[in-house]
Amino acid sequence: MEKWECTVCGYIYDPEKGDPANGIAPGTKFEDIESTWVCPECGAPKSDFKKV
């Protein structure tokens, strides 16, 4: 699975880990996350992430 990086703070979204604290289960592809999700580190919108 591809990882995604927040272009604002550098947080890496790893699909294998997900974001359980914010309701994103491990194994969830970035593309399958709702558009309202924001970076758990800085609050940047999903649109501010790029594939790495």
Side-chain angles (χ1 to χ4, degrees), residues 2-8 11 13 19 24 28-51:
E2 298 164 333
K3 295 180 182 178
W4 291 73
E5 179 181 11
C6 177
T7 60
V8 176
Y11 168 81
Y13 174 76
D19 181 16
I24 309 298
T28 303
K29 294 180 184 177
F30 188 78
E31 296 86 348
D32 294 338
I33 298 173
E34 293 185 23
S35 61
T36 56
W37 178 81
V38 297
C39 176
E41 295 291 321
C42 73
K46 184 179 174 188
S47 59
D48 283 350
F49 279 72
K50 67 176 182 176
K51 194 182 306 184

